[in-house]
Amino acid sequence: MAETGNTKLLIKHIDVSSLASIRAFAKEIVATEPVIDVLIHNAGVAQGFNNKVTGDGLEFTMATNYYGPFLLTHLLIDLLKKSEQGRIVIVSSKLYRFASLNPANINSINPVNYFSLFPVHLYNLSKFAEIMFTQELARRLQGTKVTANCLHPGVIDTGIWRNVPFPLSILFKPIQMCFRTPEEGARTSIYLSVSPDVETISGKYFRGCKVTQLNRRVQHVARQHDLWEVSKKLVKLTPEDPQI
């Protein structure tokens, strides 16, 4: 408020790794807001070597970065459809290129027993899932006034990297000095949220405010559909919930 002079900011609590917290948050928003113009999925974690399991039985990184946004989008979609031009913006990462996902394998999409010497594999996997989600979401929203796009914001100096384990954390510190600031990293998210240039663009991946070509592996339409259907079960969507 002090920086912008905008006194109409509202802050509400949500833990996107918790299905119950997401439902409580969405219930309050639906009860108090007449419309949503922009929904930005920006929450993210990177766990390092060790994964965790949430109380809902979901791997923690996947729950926070992918399954939480998946559920929240469903619960708020009706308010987005009331907008003159609703926009869903999903902050992904170019690190998706170092992952692959098979919805037919539950250990691939919900790796609760996973261990790897590669400390950011689960993060990369969640970003892969986010892009698959974005493209399937865009297809399902065709014919509505809502668009869905994802982006790589650059490598940003935020708290997301605080869990880099020792001794990698020692090597990581000098590299962090070259990272972008959060303000710089927000540029493409803001562009996708407000620019008239992208009013009719949906299902695309942006980098530096420009559409960027994706790896063919992440654009597998059948797997995108299958991931969607399995995700509905894992986040416990019911017939009474809004459907996309």
Side-chain angles (χ1 to χ4, degrees):
M1 289 182 182
E3 290 181 3
T4 65
N6 183 359
T7 60
K8 297 182 179 180
L9 303 178
L10 295 176
I11 298 174
K12 297 183 182 294
H13 179 267
I14 181 173
D15 175 358
V16 288
S17 71
S18 164
L19 303 183
S21 178
I22 293 166
R23 286 189 173 276
F25 171 85
K27 182 178 181 181
E28 183 177 0
I29 295 298
V30 170
T32 57
E33 300 296 329
V35 63
I36 293 175
D37 295 304
V38 183
L39 174 61
I40 304 176
H41 291 301
N42 187 58
V45 294
Q47 272 303 107
F49 290 117
N50 299 317
N51 63 346
K52 298 192 297 185
V53 181
T54 71
D56 302 300
L58 299 173
E59 192 283 316
F60 177 66
T61 300
M62 288 289 287
T64 305
N65 298 0
Y66 167 63
Y67 287 112
F70 179 88
L71 175 59
L72 185 59
T73 300
H74 278 79
L75 299 181
L76 298 182
I77 194 63
D78 288 344
L79 289 183
L80 281 153
K81 289 180 178 179
K82 292 181 180 180
S83 173
E84 286 299 313
Q85 209 270 298
R87 303 187 187 194
I88 301 170
V89 178
I90 299 172
V91 181
S92 188
S93 169
K94 68 178 181 180
L95 291 177
Y96 84 89
R97 294 178 297 179
F98 301 104
S100 186
L101 186 152
N102 181 6
N105 182 354
I106 192 65
N107 293 320
S108 174
I109 62 173
N110 190 31
V112 294
N113 297 315
Y114 185 84
F115 176 81
S116 174
L117 294 177
F118 187 46
V120 292
H121 174 76
L122 292 172
Y123 177 82
N124 300 349
L125 185 67
S126 70
K127 297 300 159 179
F128 194 98
E130 287 174 351
I131 295 172
M132 294 183 79
F133 167 50
T134 302
Q135 294 200 320
E136 180 69 16
L137 177 61
R139 278 193 295 272
R140 291 172 181 253
L141 290 172
Q142 288 179 358
T144 74
K145 296 181 290 184
V146 184
T147 61
N149 290 292
C150 58
L151 66 114
H152 170 61
V155 184
I156 316 300
D157 187 14
T158 70
I160 192 171
W161 304 109
R162 63 183 176 271
N163 291 321
V164 173
F166 181 85
L168 289 178
S169 56
I170 298 176
L171 301 174
F172 202 72
K173 283 297 181 182
I175 300 174
Q176 275 186 286
M177 298 175 63
C178 302
F179 288 180
R180 294 181 179 182
T181 66
E183 289 77 11
E184 292 170 333
R187 181 186 174 201
T188 305
S189 295
I190 294 170
Y191 173 76
L192 290 176
S193 299
V194 301
S195 174
D197 296 343
V198 294
E199 283 184 0
T200 60
I201 297 177
S202 192
K204 300 299 182 181
Y205 170 74
F206 285 75
R207 184 177 177 183
C209 298
K210 295 180 180 180
V211 174
T212 301
Q213 185 61 38
L214 284 163
N215 188 297
R216 283 185 295 177
R217 290 183 297 108
V218 79
Q219 299 185 80
H220 195 296
V221 174
R223 285 192 172 186
Q224 290 173 352
H225 174 271
D226 291 346
L227 175 63
W228 184 283
E229 295 304 318
V230 175
S231 298
K232 287 170 61 176
K233 297 177 182 178
L234 289 174
V235 302
K236 301 178 176 62
L237 273 175
T238 71
E240 290 73 32
D241 290 325
Q243 303 296 311
I244 302 176

